Amino acid sequence: MKNKHIELVKKWLADNDSVSLEELTANSKAADAAYDAAGSVAYDSAATHAYACEARATSAAASAAAEAADAEGASYEAAASYAAYWVERYEEITK
């Protein structure tokens, strides 16, 4: 199952004009809510911990993409690079 939040960030990374700032902001808020929900679950198993790590990567990627879309110059580059990093981490975690 694909992660819709990560897929939107990947779409934006491939073509910055393909996703609006409003879409990225809504995506970030939804990913943050999913991360908060995952964090409220006790770390009682490796599977639960893996899910929390996946949610953290998703939230970070979505937040960084929204931040980048609203930035310019060096701030844009740093945030876009951070979003790409977290997409990569997400893909490593979910292998």
Side-chain angles (χ1 to χ4, degrees), residues 8-86:
L8 188 71
V9 173
K10 288 169 64 174
K11 179 179 176 184
W12 176 80
L13 285 168
D15 178 5
N16 299 143
D17 295 327
S18 66
V19 181
S20 71
L21 176 58
E22 291 78 17
E23 289 174 292
L24 289 169
T25 300
N27 187 51
S28 175
K29 288 178 182 178
D32 288 347
Y35 175 57
D36 289 344
S40 68
V41 176
Y43 286 3
D44 59 355
S45 71
T48 303
H49 181 69
Y51 176 73
C53 290
E54 177 184 328
R56 168 66 178 118
T58 300
S59 174
S63 296
E67 182 181 320
D70 199 31
E72 296 179 7
S75 294
Y76 166 83
E77 292 296 327
S81 177
Y82 194 63
Y85 166 80
W86 281 106

Side-chain angles (χ1 to χ4, degrees), residues 6 10 50 53-54 57-58 84-95:
I6 290 291
K10 288 169 64 174
C53 290
E54 177 184 328
T58 300
Y85 166 80
W86 281 106
V87 167
E88 185 177 324
R89 285 288 299 133
Y90 170 84
E91 291 175 344
E92 290 173 1
I93 291 167
T94 58
K95 281 185 183 178

